[in-house]
Amino acid sequence: MASKPITGLALNIPTLDALPDDIQRYFKKCEEKLGMIPNVLKAYSHNPAQLEVFSRFYNELMFGESELSPLEREMIAVVVSSENKCFYCLVAHGAAVREYSQDPSLGEHLVMNYRSADLSKRHKAMLDYASLLTRTPSMVTPAESDTLRSVGFSDQGIWDICNLVGFYNMTNRVALAVDMQPNSEYHAQHR
Amino acid sequence: MASKPITGLALNIPTLDALPDDIQRYFKKCEEKLGMIPNVLKAYSHNPAQLEVFSRFYNELMFGESELSPLEREMIAVVVSSENKCFYCLVAHGAAVREYSQDPSLGEHLVMNYRSADLSKRHKAMLDYASLLTRTPSMVTPAESDTLRSVGFSDQGIWDICNLVGFYNMTNRVALAVDMQPNSEYHAQHR
Amino acid sequence: MASKPITGLALNIPTLDALPDDIQRYFKKCEEKLGMIPNVLKAYSHNPAQLEVFSRFYNELMFGESELSPLEREMIAVVVSSENKCFYCLVAHGAAVREYSQDPSLGEHLVMNYRSADLSKRHKAMLDYASLLTRTPSMVTPAESDTLRSVGFSDQGIWDICNLVGFYNMTNRVALAVDMQPNSEYHAQHR
Amino acid sequence: MASKPITGLALNIPTLDALPDDIQRYFKKCEEKLGMIPNVLKAYSHNPAQLEVFSRFYNELMFGESELSPLEREMIAVVVSSENKCFYCLVAHGAAVREYSQDPSLGEHLVMNYRSADLSKRHKAMLDYASLLTRTPSMVTPAESDTLRSVGFSDQGIWDICNLVGFYNMTNRVALAVDMQPNSEYHAQHR
Amino acid sequence: MASKPITGLALNIPTLDALPDDIQRYFKKCEEKLGMIPNVLKAYSHNPAQLEVFSRFYNELMFGESELSPLEREMIAVVVSSENKCFYCLVAHGAAVREYSQDPSLGEHLVMNYRSADLSKRHKAMLDYASLLTRTPSMVTPAESDTLRSVGFSDQGIWDICNLVGFYNMTNRVALAVDMQPNSEYHAQHR
Amino acid sequence: MASKPITGLALNIPTLDALPDDIQRYFKKCEEKLGMIPNVLKAYSHNPAQLEVFSRFYNELMFGESELSPLEREMIAVVVSSENKCFYCLVAHGAAVREYSQDPSLGEHLVMNYRSADLSKRHKAMLDYASLLTRTPSMVTPAESDTLRSVGFSDQGIWDICNLVGFYNMTNRVALAVDMQPNSEYHAQHR
């Protein structure tokens, strides 16, 4: 398939050397650690102030202190993105689930329909909640948290789940609306 | 109606003087400017690292450089929150629309059904797009941006609209899931 | 916001003195009691025969004999209208909830999302039922009435709830379809 | 199939001779004209005040002055009831469409899916509108009336359509909620 | 209503004597047993290879070995077709339910809303499952089969139910998409 | 992830040598050509009569005469299965799209959201139609075929598209309901 531009909008994304120094450093670090600069960061780089607050928020939710493991955070990312059918986030976070779980088939299940995966009670409850809060937010009240508590999540953990579900409902909408294209490197990773 | 706690979760929200110095300063600035500390900030304060990145992201999207006026950003906040039926955000941002527009009736319209409001073509297109991207994100592609361009938005402006729609789809889900209660001060403001 | 006509249709609404005598008397009574002639009545007045049967039906359901209190009938009106996003009915009956309950915040909750309000079991069951019967009527059978019975409603009371839910599903559709505008007096009442 | 009671609620429906005189006369007129007392009237008769206002409203909308023919009013009744899957109203008004149209197949089409019927442009537009206003009332504004005008409806006619759509959205919900059973006579009529 | 062609597509359906011999024989058998050649078979006859595999699949599911009675298979056909609003299948299989059950009213109930019919626990569970798997397939997992087991279905019976639900979800879509018209003979049968 | 049984039902699937001779031959042919016996066939083998008619129907639609290319038929299979979130069919037919197209990224796009793929007008129209007929069959009439004709499909081609959309709406429901697990070989194929 012919390669598409990073987004379907005309955003005047600057070249690497025209970016502020701290963003240049951040992008170099991405290349060293991930082997690429994720296209979502390049897309935001047309507005360096937004890029900074977006990436800091992202890093805090995905890598900050929490009782949720890194794999669990990625599992939520994929299930929310599957409900919303976000191509960018499914490709990028599907690869991360394959990596963290060392189970390529789990990544496929969560992309396609987490209900068919062989999940622990904890993960089933967590992903049912993520799916519900994505699809029908107006119907969710704290009563729906009781199942999460019964499988061992603390109220701080539930708060973190809500924030992750919220975050990917945000990025899914941005990525879908502008037709953001994921880096091609993701496709073959951790198969 | 009996007053409910800030959230329906047990989050161990610290008292003001137990918070880090920079958050104490931020909260005092809120009290001076707004006459209150918005409950959403108090809720996040159980995790100061999250509070910082959340409030910086919020401030950048709502007050950073953009072709969208402050009123337009608040209009998007209310219409997204109306589709999701988020009590907290409707109360807080409904008050902001009343304030910025000096038109209490406009605030009511956007809370209840923006389609019945008497809007300019620009605002009609902007809010139709916000509603669509909230309700059916998987159906939105850059083709849906054409109407926005035809009423004068640049592609950077469209990007900003997408980010605002995304942001309130995030906060709506957090606020609904934890049953966040807005400060009582909002109700009577700018009627 | 510029004032819009009472409806978006060209209905040839007669002036007060061109109306039949009994309608003139009815409208004068409205002005004395409410300080205004509700626009829904003015809209129907282009067809005096319809106005008469509509207003008699309305008055019977809202003020006739029933175990439902006046406040409860208005609460149902607001929750049905919130599910349907009917601007006219939310403005008019939201004001009535504020008046009867002496609790402006309750009016706001029911307009925005009754699930976040602090309700008695009786009112929670009543409004859950009103919401369900509004959203998915084909799924409702008498089995769904059991919760209503368990919180103290008799079968006559349940019948009355069904009729109120039905009535506002009717008026919401008429008001939305013709873009009926509420009297401006409602906005500031009982805040 | 075993015969079910008129409704699934315990409504203490009085015997004919215990009813007020005017209702007794009304019911006798029904028997003469229709060969039966429609069960919906019997159900309302537990509350004579409601019965009176309901039947007067019904008679005005179905038989009062309007540019809509009796068949067109029944066609709307059936299509609204089909979207809501109301057994009572489909049976009763399906029989009426068969009668007025002298076309049993048209009655079947409207009950099952009016989109497959061979309709005039006028009737197609009228029923598309009835279906839309039934399914997604919050999306309907006066802009949706333009197609109705283009096939010859006046604004008074559009008002009447809205009221009929509204009315059956009311009665469908009452009949579904209480599981109202239609008179068995309807089934074989006008086949 | 004017008679419409068998489908809304231009399919070059051959005359009977231009068909392969085995199809001619099959069609003659239909005429003998049913008094007509069902239009669905005529529609497929433009592609004899498809007609053969379609009719063999249909005959196996409807008349092959199974713990489901012929009536039960037809009941599933009607309820699936009612959820999908398929005119062709509702007419043809509604007639079959009337025939097998000797209960014209049951046929009407299942066409219009099976939830209002007076069903055994076994049939209620079977039709609830058929409706759910039709409307929200992605939500159905083997957990939903437990109710079917509790009313006496074996796992082979559940498999057969799933295949019938699947089959009518297929034929409904073909018939709706091409506007397939049922033979007029069905309408008056078994009333 | 621990391996799950072929289905979540207890179906008494016979061993290869207990199957009828013709099925044994068919399964051996599968192993030679595909390197495996697809689990869907093993699942149906508990009922050899069903297996035969199912596999003949499948083979006719997927490999019989048609203006649709083999890749186009697989593209429809994947897009229908994506709307229904069918894990089995997405895995099996996603692999086929990767194989026929020699474009692993196209397979991913169609699994996740075909709207983000870079498609020809012909394929865009074909997949929009497949998605619509899957999601809202009752809204589809022959009028929706006009776009297909405008991109070059004949009416026979449209018929074939409808049958493929129908077929996968059938198999998706069977596979989801019984939690059918795809052969593990698919995952790594044609990446």
Side-chain angles (χ1 to χ4, degrees):
Chain A
M1 198 157 48
S3 144
K4 296 170 86 174
I6 292 177
T7 76
L9 299 183
L11 289 176
N12 298 323
I13 296 173
T15 54
L16 189 58
D17 52 7
L19 286 167
D21 283 358
D22 55 338
I23 294 184
Q24 289 199 33
R25 274 194 301 277
Y26 180 43
F27 278 15
K28 274 169 198 158
K29 224 168 81 181
C30 288
E31 280 204 319
E32 286 165 24
K33 282 184 58 175
L34 309 172
M36 62 181 144
I37 304 161
N39 283 346
V40 63
L41 301 182
K42 283 194 206 153
Y44 270 106
S45 74
H46 80 275
N47 185 330
Q50 282 185 7
L51 171 58
E52 197 208 333
V53 292
F54 172 81
S55 56
R56 289 194 58 195
F57 193 23
Y58 170 79
N59 284 316
E60 179 57 36
L61 290 184
M62 293 305 279
F63 306 112
E65 283 260 322
S66 170
E67 72 193 52
L68 277 73
S69 73
L71 172 59
E72 288 173 336
R73 305 183 205 190
E74 294 288 353
M75 290 171 80
I76 292 170
V78 173
V79 167
V80 169
S81 304
S82 175
E83 297 295 0
N84 289 330
K85 295 189 168 290
C86 177
F87 180 64
Y88 184 98
C89 301
L90 285 168
V91 167
H93 296 281
V97 166
R98 295 196 302 268
E99 178 183 9
Y100 285 133
S101 68
Q102 308 255 46
D103 180 352
S105 160
L106 178 64
E108 290 286 271
H109 265 93
L110 300 193
V111 163
M112 293 170 177
N113 187 341
Y114 78 91
R115 289 173 197 86
S116 73
D118 199 19
L119 299 167
S120 67
K121 275 195 186 172
R122 173 182 169 92
H123 288 167
K124 175 82 166 54
M126 178 182 84
L127 297 179
D128 279 346
Y129 186 83
S131 165
L132 188 75
L133 186 53
T134 296
R135 288 180 292 114
T136 55
S138 74
M139 299 295 185
V140 180
T141 67
E144 274 69 40
S145 302
D146 286 346
T147 313
L148 295 175
R149 288 189 191 102
S150 77
V151 294
F153 288 103
S154 76
D155 280 28
Q156 277 75 14
I158 294 169
W159 171 271
D160 291 347
I161 292 172
C162 295
N163 273 270
L164 287 161
V165 172
F167 187 83
Y168 288 100
N169 270 287
M170 174 175 66
T171 59
N172 287 177
R173 281 173 173 79
V174 174
L176 281 159
V178 309
D179 197 19
M180 200 181 282
Q181 295 299 311
N183 305 57
S184 58
E185 288 87 343
Y186 289 120
H187 289 288
Q189 287 177 341
H190 313 289
R191 292 286 178 188
Chain B
M1 198 159 47
S3 144
K4 298 171 84 174
I6 291 178
T7 77
L9 300 181
L11 289 176
N12 299 323
I13 296 173
T15 55
L16 189 57
D17 53 7
L19 286 167
D21 284 358
D22 56 337
I23 294 184
Q24 290 199 32
R25 274 193 300 277
Y26 181 44
F27 278 14
K28 275 171 198 154
K29 224 168 81 183
C30 288
E31 280 203 319
E32 287 164 23
K33 281 183 59 176
L34 309 172
M36 63 181 144
I37 304 163
N39 284 347
V40 62
L41 300 182
K42 283 194 206 154
Y44 270 106
S45 74
H46 79 276
N47 185 329
Q50 281 185 8
L51 171 58
E52 197 208 333
V53 292
F54 172 81
S55 57
R56 289 194 56 194
F57 193 23
Y58 170 78
N59 284 317
E60 180 57 37
L61 291 184
M62 293 304 279
F63 305 112
E65 283 259 324
S66 169
E67 72 193 52
L68 276 73
S69 73
L71 172 59
E72 287 173 336
R73 305 183 204 190
E74 294 289 353
M75 291 170 81
I76 292 170
V78 174
V79 166
V80 169
S81 304
S82 175
E83 296 295 1
N84 289 329
K85 294 189 169 291
C86 177
F87 180 64
Y88 185 97
C89 301
L90 285 168
V91 167
H93 296 282
V97 167
R98 295 196 300 269
E99 178 182 10
Y100 285 133
S101 68
Q102 309 254 45
D103 181 352
S105 161
L106 178 65
E108 290 286 271
H109 264 93
L110 299 193
V111 163
M112 292 171 177
N113 187 341
Y114 78 91
R115 290 172 196 87
S116 73
D118 199 20
L119 299 167
S120 67
K121 276 194 184 172
R122 174 181 170 94
H123 288 168
K124 175 82 167 54
M126 179 182 83
L127 297 179
D128 280 346
Y129 187 84
S131 165
L132 187 76
L133 186 53
T134 296
R135 288 180 291 114
T136 55
S138 73
M139 298 295 185
V140 180
T141 67
E144 273 70 41
S145 302
D146 286 346
T147 314
L148 295 175
R149 288 189 191 103
S150 78
V151 294
F153 287 104
S154 76
D155 280 28
Q156 277 75 12
I158 294 169
W159 171 270
D160 291 346
I161 292 172
C162 295
N163 273 270
L164 287 161
V165 172
F167 186 83
Y168 288 100
N169 271 285
M170 174 174 65
T171 59
N172 287 177
R173 281 172 174 79
V174 174
L176 281 159
V178 309
D179 197 19
M180 199 179 283
Q181 294 299 311
N183 305 57
S184 58
E185 287 88 342
Y186 289 119
H187 289 287
Q189 288 178 342
H190 313 290
R191 293 287 179 188
Chain C
M1 197 157 48
S3 145
K4 298 170 84 174
I6 291 178
T7 76
L9 299 182
L11 289 176
N12 298 324
I13 297 173
T15 55
L16 189 57
D17 53 8
L19 286 166
D21 282 358
D22 54 338
I23 294 183
Q24 289 199 32
R25 274 194 300 277
Y26 181 43
F27 279 14
K28 273 170 200 157
K29 223 168 83 183
C30 289
E31 279 204 320
E32 286 164 25
K33 281 183 59 175
L34 308 172
M36 63 181 143
I37 304 162
N39 284 346
V40 63
L41 301 182
K42 283 194 206 152
Y44 270 105
S45 73
H46 79 276
N47 185 329
Q50 282 185 8
L51 172 58
E52 196 207 334
V53 292
F54 172 82
S55 57
R56 289 193 57 195
F57 194 22
Y58 170 79
N59 284 317
E60 180 56 38
L61 291 183
M62 294 304 280
F63 306 111
E65 282 259 323
S66 170
E67 71 192 53
L68 277 73
S69 73
L71 172 58
E72 287 172 337
R73 304 183 205 190
E74 294 288 354
M75 290 170 80
I76 292 170
V78 173
V79 166
V80 169
S81 304
S82 175
E83 296 296 0
N84 289 330
K85 295 189 169 290
C86 178
F87 180 63
Y88 185 98
C89 301
L90 286 168
V91 167
H93 296 281
V97 167
R98 294 195 302 268
E99 178 183 9
Y100 285 133
S101 68
Q102 308 254 46
D103 181 351
S105 160
L106 178 63
E108 290 286 272
H109 264 94
L110 299 192
V111 163
M112 292 170 176
N113 188 340
Y114 78 91
R115 291 174 197 86
S116 72
D118 200 19
L119 300 167
S120 67
K121 275 193 185 173
R122 174 182 169 92
H123 288 167
K124 174 84 166 53
M126 179 182 83
L127 298 179
D128 279 346
Y129 186 84
S131 165
L132 189 75
L133 186 53
T134 297
R135 287 181 291 114
T136 55
S138 74
M139 299 294 185
V140 180
T141 67
E144 274 69 40
S145 302
D146 287 346
T147 313
L148 294 175
R149 289 191 191 101
S150 78
V151 296
F153 287 104
S154 75
D155 280 28
Q156 277 74 13
I158 295 169
W159 171 270
D160 291 346
I161 293 173
C162 295
N163 272 270
L164 287 161
V165 172
F167 186 82
Y168 289 99
N169 270 285
M170 174 175 65
T171 58
N172 287 176
R173 280 172 174 80
V174 174
L176 281 159
V178 309
D179 197 19
M180 198 178 285
Q181 295 299 312
N183 305 56
S184 58
E185 287 87 344
Y186 290 119
H187 289 287
Q189 287 178 340
H190 311 289
R191 293 285 178 189
Chain D
M1 197 157 46
S3 144
K4 298 171 85 174
I6 291 178
T7 77
L9 299 182
L11 289 177
N12 299 323
I13 296 173
T15 56
L16 189 57
D17 52 8
L19 285 167
D21 283 358
D22 55 338
I23 294 184
Q24 290 198 33
R25 275 193 301 277
Y26 181 42
F27 279 14
K28 274 170 200 157
K29 223 167 84 182
C30 288
E31 280 204 319
E32 287 164 24
K33 282 182 59 175
L34 309 172
M36 62 181 146
I37 305 163
N39 284 346
V40 63
L41 301 182
K42 283 194 207 153
Y44 270 105
S45 73
H46 79 275
N47 185 330
Q50 281 184 9
L51 172 58
E52 196 208 334
V53 292
F54 172 82
S55 56
R56 290 193 58 195
F57 193 23
Y58 170 80
N59 285 317
E60 180 57 37
L61 291 183
M62 293 304 279
F63 306 112
E65 282 259 324
S66 170
E67 72 192 52
L68 276 74
S69 73
L71 172 58
E72 287 173 336
R73 304 184 206 189
E74 293 289 354
M75 291 171 80
I76 292 171
V78 174
V79 166
V80 169
S81 304
S82 175
E83 296 296 0
N84 289 331
K85 295 187 168 292
C86 177
F87 180 64
Y88 184 99
C89 301
L90 286 169
V91 167
H93 296 282
V97 167
R98 294 195 301 268
E99 179 182 10
Y100 285 133
S101 68
Q102 309 254 44
D103 181 352
S105 160
L106 178 64
E108 290 287 271
H109 264 94
L110 300 193
V111 163
M112 293 170 176
N113 188 341
Y114 78 92
R115 290 173 197 87
S116 73
D118 200 21
L119 300 167
S120 67
K121 275 193 185 173
R122 173 181 169 94
H123 288 167
K124 174 84 167 53
M126 179 183 82
L127 298 179
D128 279 346
Y129 187 83
S131 166
L132 188 76
L133 186 53
T134 297
R135 289 180 290 113
T136 54
S138 74
M139 298 295 185
V140 180
T141 66
E144 274 70 39
S145 303
D146 286 345
T147 313
L148 295 175
R149 288 190 191 103
S150 77
V151 295
F153 288 104
S154 75
D155 280 27
Q156 276 75 12
I158 295 170
W159 170 270
D160 291 345
I161 293 173
C162 295
N163 272 270
L164 287 161
V165 172
F167 186 83
Y168 289 99
N169 270 286
M170 174 175 66
T171 60
N172 287 177
R173 280 172 174 79
V174 174
L176 281 159
V178 309
D179 197 19
M180 198 179 285
Q181 294 300 311
N183 305 56
S184 57
E185 287 87 344
Y186 290 119
H187 290 288
Q189 288 179 340
H190 313 288
R191 294 284 179 189
Chain E
M1 199 157 48
S3 143
K4 297 170 84 173
I6 292 178
T7 76
L9 298 182
L11 290 177
N12 299 323
I13 296 173
T15 56
L16 189 57
D17 53 7
L19 285 167
D21 283 356
D22 55 338
I23 294 183
Q24 290 198 32
R25 276 193 300 277
Y26 181 43
F27 279 13
K28 274 170 198 157
K29 224 167 81 183
C30 288
E31 281 204 320
E32 287 165 25
K33 283 183 58 175
L34 309 173
M36 63 181 144
I37 305 162
N39 284 346
V40 63
L41 301 181
K42 283 194 206 152
Y44 270 106
S45 74
H46 80 274
N47 185 330
Q50 282 185 8
L51 171 58
E52 197 208 333
V53 292
F54 172 81
S55 56
R56 290 193 57 194
F57 193 24
Y58 170 79
N59 284 317
E60 180 57 36
L61 291 184
M62 293 305 279
F63 306 111
E65 283 259 323
S66 169
E67 72 192 53
L68 277 73
S69 73
L71 172 58
E72 287 172 336
R73 304 184 206 190
E74 294 288 353
M75 290 171 80
I76 292 170
V78 174
V79 166
V80 170
S81 305
S82 175
E83 297 295 0
N84 288 331
K85 295 188 168 290
C86 178
F87 180 64
Y88 185 98
C89 301
L90 285 169
V91 167
H93 296 281
V97 166
R98 294 196 301 270
E99 178 182 9
Y100 285 133
S101 68
Q102 309 254 45
D103 182 350
S105 161
L106 178 64
E108 291 285 272
H109 264 94
L110 301 193
V111 163
M112 292 170 176
N113 188 340
Y114 79 91
R115 290 173 197 86
S116 72
D118 199 19
L119 300 167
S120 67
K121 275 194 186 173
R122 174 181 169 93
H123 288 168
K124 174 83 166 54
M126 180 182 82
L127 297 180
D128 280 345
Y129 187 84
S131 165
L132 188 75
L133 186 53
T134 297
R135 288 180 291 113
T136 55
S138 73
M139 298 295 185
V140 180
T141 67
E144 273 70 39
S145 303
D146 287 346
T147 313
L148 294 175
R149 289 190 190 102
S150 77
V151 295
F153 288 104
S154 75
D155 280 28
Q156 277 75 12
I158 295 169
W159 171 269
D160 290 346
I161 292 172
C162 295
N163 272 269
L164 287 160
V165 172
F167 187 82
Y168 288 99
N169 271 286
M170 174 174 67
T171 59
N172 286 176
R173 280 173 174 79
V174 175
L176 281 160
V178 309
D179 197 19
M180 199 179 284
Q181 294 299 311
N183 306 55
S184 58
E185 288 86 345
Y186 289 119
H187 290 286
Q189 289 178 341
H190 313 288
R191 292 286 177 188
Chain F
M1 197 158 48
S3 142
K4 297 171 84 173
I6 291 178
T7 77
L9 299 182
L11 290 176
N12 299 323
I13 296 173
T15 56
L16 189 56
D17 52 8
L19 286 166
D21 282 359
D22 55 338
I23 295 184
Q24 289 199 32
R25 274 193 302 276
Y26 180 44
F27 278 14
K28 274 171 199 156
K29 222 168 83 182
C30 288
E31 279 205 319
E32 287 164 25
K33 281 183 59 175
L34 309 172
M36 62 180 145
I37 304 162
N39 284 346
V40 63
L41 301 181
K42 284 194 205 153
Y44 270 106
S45 73
H46 80 275
N47 185 329
Q50 281 184 9
L51 171 58
E52 197 209 334
V53 293
F54 172 82
S55 57
R56 289 193 58 194
F57 194 23
Y58 170 79
N59 284 317
E60 180 58 36
L61 291 184
M62 293 304 279
F63 305 112
E65 282 261 322
S66 169
E67 71 191 55
L68 277 73
S69 73
L71 172 59
E72 287 172 337
R73 304 184 206 190
E74 294 289 353
M75 291 171 80
I76 291 170
V78 174
V79 166
V80 170
S81 304
S82 174
E83 296 296 0
N84 289 329
K85 295 190 170 290
C86 177
F87 181 64
Y88 184 98
C89 301
L90 285 168
V91 167
H93 296 281
V97 166
R98 294 196 301 269
E99 178 183 9
Y100 285 133
S101 68
Q102 309 254 46
D103 181 352
S105 160
L106 178 65
E108 290 286 271
H109 264 94
L110 300 193
V111 163
M112 293 169 176
N113 188 340
Y114 78 91
R115 291 174 196 86
S116 73
D118 199 19
L119 299 167
S120 66
K121 275 193 185 172
R122 174 181 169 93
H123 288 168
K124 174 82 167 54
M126 179 182 82
L127 298 179
D128 280 346
Y129 187 83
S131 165
L132 188 75
L133 186 53
T134 297
R135 289 180 290 114
T136 55
S138 74
M139 299 295 186
V140 180
T141 67
E144 273 70 40
S145 302
D146 286 346
T147 314
L148 295 175
R149 288 189 192 103
S150 78
V151 296
F153 287 104
S154 75
D155 280 27
Q156 276 75 12
I158 294 169
W159 171 270
D160 291 345
I161 293 172
C162 294
N163 272 270
L164 287 160
V165 172
F167 186 83
Y168 288 100
N169 270 286
M170 174 175 65
T171 58
N172 287 176
R173 280 172 175 79
V174 174
L176 281 159
V178 309
D179 198 19
M180 198 180 284
Q181 294 299 310
N183 305 58
S184 57
E185 287 87 344
Y186 290 118
H187 289 288
Q189 286 178 340
H190 312 289
R191 293 287 180 189

